[in-house]
Amino acid sequence: MSEVALTQPPEAVEPRTLVEGAYQRLRRDIIEGVHPPGEKLRVEHLKDQYDVGAGTLREALLLLVTDALVVAQGQRGFRVAPISLQDFEDITRTRILLETEALRQSIALGGEDWEASVVAAFHRLSRAEQKLGDSEDYAQAASDDWEKRNRSFHDALISASPSRWIRHFQNILYQQSERYRRISLFRKPVPRDVHAEHLALFNATLARDTSRATAILTEHILRTLESVRHMPADFFSTRSKR
Amino acid sequence: MSEVALTQPPEAVEPRTLVEGAYQRLRRDIIEGVHPPGEKLRVEHLKDQYDVGAGTLREALLLLVTDALVVAQGQRGFRVAPISLQDFEDITRTRILLETEALRQSIALGGEDWEASVVAAFHRLSRAEQKLGDSEDYAQAASDDWEKRNRSFHDALISASPSRWIRHFQNILYQQSERYRRISLFRKPVPRDVHAEHLALFNATLARDTSRATAILTEHILRTLESVRHMPADFFSTRSKR
DNA sequence: TCAATCTTTTTTCTCGAGATTTTTAGATCG
DNA sequence: CGATCTAAAAATCTCGAGAAAAAAGATTGA
């Protein structure tokens, strides 16, 4: 695994080893709900599915513990981390705490390079949102594309923060949120007028209006909490195998 | 490994597997500086030193990546995470951000059980500090004991926070700070009048004076930064092997 | 029928050895 | 003398099989 120091943005790096490869594929499958929350992850089965040896797959699972996507219980194997409304509220609040702080720092310290990267990321995201709105053909590809650019935009916003630790934790939490979003919204059209929010956030940031930018960001993140709150009541019931 | 979901306070759990055992011992040795920052961690050597197989030791190393005490570079093995003044400043600031928030929540939500646990932890810590001050015999045991109780006190303060994520991240950062402290202060007497600070923090917390309590906590954490800042200039130079 | 105990099956954990890659050391050439 | 190339050595990564533990199923007795 090339440079697994502090969490890197997902597919940023090409896998240099089988462990790394299995880790990345497993992570994607967990986030996308292929392996639902609470599912028992049996090494003997998964090693065939992912085409690696048993030991190798174990190591991949251990790496996923780092992302808190998998929990390990001594002598009793591995499970996909469970989900709950309470957990998602916690994730959301903590994400707001970290991400607003990082944005604050970015606005305070960011130079021209940072501004340029924000402008570029915003442009790319806008294009994707336009494409999504234009034709109502809800292609999987377009949605995945939007997802990547959305993340890139959020990353760009806080990229001028000098705090590697905040960014590290933020990466983990974003990943977690992503799983909730993917599982709950299940390929539903991107909700509400998200473009307007991004635009407002973009303007406030470039205007270096810290309090306005952080307020918008807070609202922005909170809104995803709302959409999960309105899920059917039994949604978080354990669908674990055994 | 029993319940490795989100980071548990260190030796809270008895190791149920060889991996877990090796993990705990390795972690201790890294925090205590037995394996200095940047050191190459060769599986072939370490497996003898820790009396486990190669695969088992690899897994332990992978678990340490979770704590960011070890970094893995694909096809090039493992290293003890490097240190730098910049990194310690980051750790300190992020810790303040998380720990003050958690304290805020604790004060707002903590009930009688929480109060009782804070009182108890403070009492135990006071006794240890008294013991340390009384006889100037600086026993290793007394110092280790103080360390444990200090951590317990800080844990108790924020234990009423409902945020598992903040506590998880806080655990990681505390562990990191601990390594810096152990490496830099190298068995030096516990500096300054730390007892007075703890007392003030204790009083403000029980009085439910949020702003005063968080202010004291901030100062308290910042002071450890000062002591590292005054290290010899070349302290952070890489002492890595090769 | 139910609970407790024993047996069988499954799964996890652990180890050592082979295949690959990286690193080191030596040799060759400009 | 330094740089580049080549060969040997060391380290990492990977796999499958055996030991240990947990889970599932069967048996017995109240």
PDB file of all heavy atoms in Angstrom, chain A residues 34-55:
ATOM      1  N   VAL A  34     -23.075  -3.207  -0.974  1.00  0.00           N
ATOM      2  CA  VAL A  34     -23.007  -4.587  -1.458  1.00  0.00           C
ATOM      3  C   VAL A  34     -22.895  -5.528  -0.259  1.00  0.00           C
ATOM      4  O   VAL A  34     -23.530  -6.582  -0.208  1.00  0.00           O
ATOM      5  CB  VAL A  34     -21.808  -4.787  -2.409  1.00  0.00           C
ATOM      6  CG1 VAL A  34     -21.679  -6.256  -2.805  1.00  0.00           C
ATOM      7  CG2 VAL A  34     -21.951  -3.899  -3.634  1.00  0.00           C
ATOM      8  N   HIS A  35     -22.091  -5.111   0.684  1.00  0.00           N
ATOM      9  CA  HIS A  35     -22.053  -5.793   1.979  1.00  0.00           C
ATOM     10  C   HIS A  35     -22.790  -4.915   2.983  1.00  0.00           C
ATOM     11  O   HIS A  35     -22.257  -3.911   3.431  1.00  0.00           O
ATOM     12  CB  HIS A  35     -20.618  -6.027   2.440  1.00  0.00           C
ATOM     13  CG  HIS A  35     -19.807  -6.830   1.471  1.00  0.00           C
ATOM     14  ND1 HIS A  35     -20.092  -8.137   1.179  1.00  0.00           N
ATOM     15  CD2 HIS A  35     -18.726  -6.510   0.735  1.00  0.00           C
ATOM     16  CE1 HIS A  35     -19.227  -8.586   0.295  1.00  0.00           C
ATOM     17  NE2 HIS A  35     -18.376  -7.625  -0.003  1.00  0.00           N
ATOM     18  N   PRO A  36     -24.008  -5.253   3.315  1.00  0.00           N
ATOM     19  CA  PRO A  36     -24.821  -4.381   4.174  1.00  0.00           C
ATOM     20  C   PRO A  36     -24.295  -4.332   5.608  1.00  0.00           C
ATOM     21  O   PRO A  36     -23.566  -5.232   6.042  1.00  0.00           O
ATOM     22  CB  PRO A  36     -26.201  -5.039   4.110  1.00  0.00           C
ATOM     23  CG  PRO A  36     -25.970  -6.436   3.699  1.00  0.00           C
ATOM     24  CD  PRO A  36     -24.729  -6.452   2.875  1.00  0.00           C
ATOM     25  N   PRO A  37     -24.655  -3.279   6.329  1.00  0.00           N
ATOM     26  CA  PRO A  37     -24.225  -3.099   7.719  1.00  0.00           C
ATOM     27  C   PRO A  37     -24.528  -4.328   8.558  1.00  0.00           C
ATOM     28  O   PRO A  37     -25.602  -4.904   8.434  1.00  0.00           O
ATOM     29  CB  PRO A  37     -25.059  -1.911   8.188  1.00  0.00           C
ATOM     30  CG  PRO A  37     -25.391  -1.160   6.945  1.00  0.00           C
ATOM     31  CD  PRO A  37     -25.490  -2.182   5.863  1.00  0.00           C
ATOM     32  N   GLY A  38     -23.585  -4.709   9.378  1.00  0.00           N
ATOM     33  CA  GLY A  38     -23.782  -5.836  10.278  1.00  0.00           C
ATOM     34  C   GLY A  38     -23.456  -7.181   9.676  1.00  0.00           C
ATOM     35  O   GLY A  38     -23.361  -8.168  10.405  1.00  0.00           O
ATOM     36  N   GLU A  39     -23.290  -7.239   8.378  1.00  0.00           N
ATOM     37  CA  GLU A  39     -23.022  -8.534   7.731  1.00  0.00           C
ATOM     38  C   GLU A  39     -21.736  -9.167   8.233  1.00  0.00           C
ATOM     39  O   GLU A  39     -20.731  -8.496   8.423  1.00  0.00           O
ATOM     40  CB  GLU A  39     -22.934  -8.359   6.207  1.00  0.00           C
ATOM     41  CG  GLU A  39     -22.782  -9.686   5.470  1.00  0.00           C
ATOM     42  CD  GLU A  39     -22.602  -9.492   3.957  1.00  0.00           C
ATOM     43  OE1 GLU A  39     -21.460  -9.269   3.526  1.00  0.00           O
ATOM     44  OE2 GLU A  39     -23.595  -9.551   3.226  1.00  0.00           O
ATOM     45  N   LYS A  40     -21.797 -10.458   8.425  1.00  0.00           N
ATOM     46  CA  LYS A  40     -20.614 -11.206   8.815  1.00  0.00           C
ATOM     47  C   LYS A  40     -19.714 -11.319   7.595  1.00  0.00           C
ATOM     48  O   LYS A  40     -20.166 -11.692   6.513  1.00  0.00           O
ATOM     49  CB  LYS A  40     -21.017 -12.587   9.323  1.00  0.00           C
ATOM     50  CG  LYS A  40     -19.923 -13.357   9.993  1.00  0.00           C
ATOM     51  CD  LYS A  40     -20.041 -13.268  11.506  1.00  0.00           C
ATOM     52  CE  LYS A  40     -18.689 -13.281  12.190  1.00  0.00           C
ATOM     53  NZ  LYS A  40     -17.736 -14.241  11.671  1.00  0.00           N
ATOM     54  N   LEU A  41     -18.441 -11.027   7.792  1.00  0.00           N
ATOM     55  CA  LEU A  41     -17.497 -11.106   6.678  1.00  0.00           C
ATOM     56  C   LEU A  41     -16.615 -12.330   6.863  1.00  0.00           C
ATOM     57  O   LEU A  41     -15.618 -12.281   7.578  1.00  0.00           O
ATOM     58  CB  LEU A  41     -16.655  -9.821   6.619  1.00  0.00           C
ATOM     59  CG  LEU A  41     -17.440  -8.548   6.293  1.00  0.00           C
ATOM     60  CD1 LEU A  41     -16.609  -7.304   6.558  1.00  0.00           C
ATOM     61  CD2 LEU A  41     -17.942  -8.562   4.865  1.00  0.00           C
ATOM     62  N   ARG A  42     -16.985 -13.421   6.227  1.00  0.00           N
ATOM     63  CA  ARG A  42     -16.237 -14.664   6.397  1.00  0.00           C
ATOM     64  C   ARG A  42     -15.074 -14.723   5.424  1.00  0.00           C
ATOM     65  O   ARG A  42     -15.253 -14.632   4.212  1.00  0.00           O
ATOM     66  CB  ARG A  42     -17.158 -15.864   6.189  1.00  0.00           C
ATOM     67  CG  ARG A  42     -18.191 -16.011   7.304  1.00  0.00           C
ATOM     68  CD  ARG A  42     -18.970 -17.301   7.169  1.00  0.00           C
ATOM     69  NE  ARG A  42     -20.056 -17.341   8.130  1.00  0.00           N
ATOM     70  CZ  ARG A  42     -21.212 -16.697   7.979  1.00  0.00           C
ATOM     71  NH1 ARG A  42     -21.413 -15.958   6.893  1.00  0.00           N
ATOM     72  NH2 ARG A  42     -22.147 -16.786   8.892  1.00  0.00           N
ATOM     73  N   VAL A  43     -13.910 -14.900   5.987  1.00  0.00           N
ATOM     74  CA  VAL A  43     -12.697 -14.897   5.177  1.00  0.00           C
ATOM     75  C   VAL A  43     -12.752 -15.976   4.098  1.00  0.00           C
ATOM     76  O   VAL A  43     -12.419 -15.725   2.939  1.00  0.00           O
ATOM     77  CB  VAL A  43     -11.453 -15.100   6.060  1.00  0.00           C
ATOM     78  CG1 VAL A  43     -10.201 -15.199   5.204  1.00  0.00           C
ATOM     79  CG2 VAL A  43     -11.333 -13.956   7.050  1.00  0.00           C
ATOM     80  N   GLU A  44     -13.204 -17.154   4.470  1.00  0.00           N
ATOM     81  CA  GLU A  44     -13.214 -18.275   3.532  1.00  0.00           C
ATOM     82  C   GLU A  44     -14.057 -17.992   2.287  1.00  0.00           C
ATOM     83  O   GLU A  44     -13.706 -18.397   1.187  1.00  0.00           O
ATOM     84  CB  GLU A  44     -13.741 -19.539   4.233  1.00  0.00           C
ATOM     85  CG  GLU A  44     -12.748 -20.172   5.177  1.00  0.00           C
ATOM     86  CD  GLU A  44     -11.444 -20.556   4.470  1.00  0.00           C
ATOM     87  OE1 GLU A  44     -11.512 -21.193   3.410  1.00  0.00           O
ATOM     88  OE2 GLU A  44     -10.364 -20.196   4.977  1.00  0.00           O
ATOM     89  N   HIS A  45     -15.154 -17.290   2.457  1.00  0.00           N
ATOM     90  CA  HIS A  45     -15.998 -16.976   1.303  1.00  0.00           C
ATOM     91  C   HIS A  45     -15.418 -15.830   0.492  1.00  0.00           C
ATOM     92  O   HIS A  45     -15.353 -15.892  -0.734  1.00  0.00           O
ATOM     93  CB  HIS A  45     -17.413 -16.614   1.774  1.00  0.00           C
ATOM     94  CG  HIS A  45     -18.116 -17.745   2.452  1.00  0.00           C
ATOM     95  ND1 HIS A  45     -19.369 -17.631   2.995  1.00  0.00           N
ATOM     96  CD2 HIS A  45     -17.738 -19.023   2.670  1.00  0.00           C
ATOM     97  CE1 HIS A  45     -19.737 -18.791   3.525  1.00  0.00           C
ATOM     98  NE2 HIS A  45     -18.752 -19.644   3.347  1.00  0.00           N
ATOM     99  N   LEU A  46     -15.011 -14.795   1.222  1.00  0.00           N
ATOM    100  CA  LEU A  46     -14.561 -13.578   0.550  1.00  0.00           C
ATOM    101  C   LEU A  46     -13.269 -13.760  -0.227  1.00  0.00           C
ATOM    102  O   LEU A  46     -13.052 -13.097  -1.241  1.00  0.00           O
ATOM    103  CB  LEU A  46     -14.390 -12.451   1.587  1.00  0.00           C
ATOM    104  CG  LEU A  46     -15.599 -11.546   1.771  1.00  0.00           C
ATOM    105  CD1 LEU A  46     -16.849 -12.364   2.005  1.00  0.00           C
ATOM    106  CD2 LEU A  46     -15.374 -10.582   2.920  1.00  0.00           C
ATOM    107  N   LYS A  47     -12.440 -14.671   0.220  1.00  0.00           N
ATOM    108  CA  LYS A  47     -11.161 -14.838  -0.464  1.00  0.00           C
ATOM    109  C   LYS A  47     -11.366 -15.308  -1.898  1.00  0.00           C
ATOM    110  O   LYS A  47     -10.614 -14.956  -2.794  1.00  0.00           O
ATOM    111  CB  LYS A  47     -10.261 -15.804   0.304  1.00  0.00           C
ATOM    112  CG  LYS A  47     -10.485 -17.278   0.032  1.00  0.00           C
ATOM    113  CD  LYS A  47      -9.748 -18.143   1.015  1.00  0.00           C
ATOM    114  CE  LYS A  47     -10.026 -19.626   0.824  1.00  0.00           C
ATOM    115  NZ  LYS A  47      -9.240 -20.263  -0.238  1.00  0.00           N
ATOM    116  N   ASP A  48     -12.413 -16.087  -2.129  1.00  0.00           N
ATOM    117  CA  ASP A  48     -12.713 -16.506  -3.500  1.00  0.00           C
ATOM    118  C   ASP A  48     -13.304 -15.341  -4.291  1.00  0.00           C
ATOM    119  O   ASP A  48     -12.931 -15.075  -5.419  1.00  0.00           O
ATOM    120  CB  ASP A  48     -13.696 -17.677  -3.485  1.00  0.00           C
ATOM    121  CG  ASP A  48     -13.129 -18.882  -2.757  1.00  0.00           C
ATOM    122  OD1 ASP A  48     -11.917 -19.096  -2.845  1.00  0.00           O
ATOM    123  OD2 ASP A  48     -13.904 -19.598  -2.086  1.00  0.00           O
ATOM    124  N   GLN A  49     -14.226 -14.640  -3.621  1.00  0.00           N
ATOM    125  CA  GLN A  49     -14.903 -13.525  -4.276  1.00  0.00           C
ATOM    126  C   GLN A  49     -13.923 -12.436  -4.712  1.00  0.00           C
ATOM    127  O   GLN A  49     -14.131 -11.791  -5.738  1.00  0.00           O
ATOM    128  CB  GLN A  49     -15.932 -12.961  -3.294  1.00  0.00           C
ATOM    129  CG  GLN A  49     -16.949 -12.019  -3.910  1.00  0.00           C
ATOM    130  CD  GLN A  49     -18.012 -11.638  -2.901  1.00  0.00           C
ATOM    131  OE1 GLN A  49     -18.234 -12.350  -1.918  1.00  0.00           O
ATOM    132  NE2 GLN A  49     -18.660 -10.513  -3.120  1.00  0.00           N
ATOM    133  N   TYR A  50     -12.873 -12.254  -3.941  1.00  0.00           N
ATOM    134  CA  TYR A  50     -11.928 -11.186  -4.266  1.00  0.00           C
ATOM    135  C   TYR A  50     -10.602 -11.724  -4.810  1.00  0.00           C
ATOM    136  O   TYR A  50      -9.647 -10.978  -4.996  1.00  0.00           O
ATOM    137  CB  TYR A  50     -11.696 -10.286  -3.047  1.00  0.00           C
ATOM    138  CG  TYR A  50     -12.905  -9.445  -2.720  1.00  0.00           C
ATOM    139  CD1 TYR A  50     -13.909  -9.923  -1.883  1.00  0.00           C
ATOM    140  CD2 TYR A  50     -13.070  -8.185  -3.274  1.00  0.00           C
ATOM    141  CE1 TYR A  50     -15.043  -9.166  -1.593  1.00  0.00           C
ATOM    142  CE2 TYR A  50     -14.183  -7.410  -2.994  1.00  0.00           C
ATOM    143  CZ  TYR A  50     -15.169  -7.907  -2.157  1.00  0.00           C
ATOM    144  OH  TYR A  50     -16.266  -7.161  -1.879  1.00  0.00           O
ATOM    145  N   ASP A  51     -10.561 -13.009  -4.998  1.00  0.00           N
ATOM    146  CA  ASP A  51      -9.414 -13.632  -5.658  1.00  0.00           C
ATOM    147  C   ASP A  51      -8.077 -13.368  -4.975  1.00  0.00           C
ATOM    148  O   ASP A  51      -7.110 -12.951  -5.610  1.00  0.00           O
ATOM    149  CB  ASP A  51      -9.320 -13.147  -7.118  1.00  0.00           C
ATOM    150  CG  ASP A  51     -10.028 -14.105  -8.046  1.00  0.00           C
ATOM    151  OD1 ASP A  51      -9.678 -15.286  -8.039  1.00  0.00           O
ATOM    152  OD2 ASP A  51     -10.947 -13.655  -8.749  1.00  0.00           O
ATOM    153  N   VAL A  52      -8.035 -13.582  -3.693  1.00  0.00           N
ATOM    154  CA  VAL A  52      -6.765 -13.482  -2.963  1.00  0.00           C
ATOM    155  C   VAL A  52      -6.721 -14.588  -1.923  1.00  0.00           C
ATOM    156  O   VAL A  52      -7.735 -15.253  -1.669  1.00  0.00           O
ATOM    157  CB  VAL A  52      -6.611 -12.122  -2.255  1.00  0.00           C
ATOM    158  CG1 VAL A  52      -6.435 -10.998  -3.263  1.00  0.00           C
ATOM    159  CG2 VAL A  52      -7.799 -11.867  -1.351  1.00  0.00           C
ATOM    160  N   GLY A  53      -5.562 -14.792  -1.336  1.00  0.00           N
ATOM    161  CA  GLY A  53      -5.425 -15.801  -0.300  1.00  0.00           C
ATOM    162  C   GLY A  53      -6.094 -15.365   0.995  1.00  0.00           C
ATOM    163  O   GLY A  53      -6.463 -14.206   1.168  1.00  0.00           O
ATOM    164  N   ALA A  54      -6.231 -16.316   1.905  1.00  0.00           N
ATOM    165  CA  ALA A  54      -6.927 -16.030   3.161  1.00  0.00           C
ATOM    166  C   ALA A  54      -6.198 -14.965   3.974  1.00  0.00           C
ATOM    167  O   ALA A  54      -6.808 -14.018   4.453  1.00  0.00           O
ATOM    168  CB  ALA A  54      -7.070 -17.315   3.973  1.00  0.00           C
ATOM    169  N   GLY A  55      -4.889 -15.148   4.104  1.00  0.00           N
ATOM    170  CA  GLY A  55      -4.100 -14.192   4.869  1.00  0.00           C
ATOM    171  C   GLY A  55      -4.191 -12.799   4.295  1.00  0.00           C
ATOM    172  O   GLY A  55      -4.342 -11.807   5.022  1.00  0.00           O
TER     173      GLY A  55
END
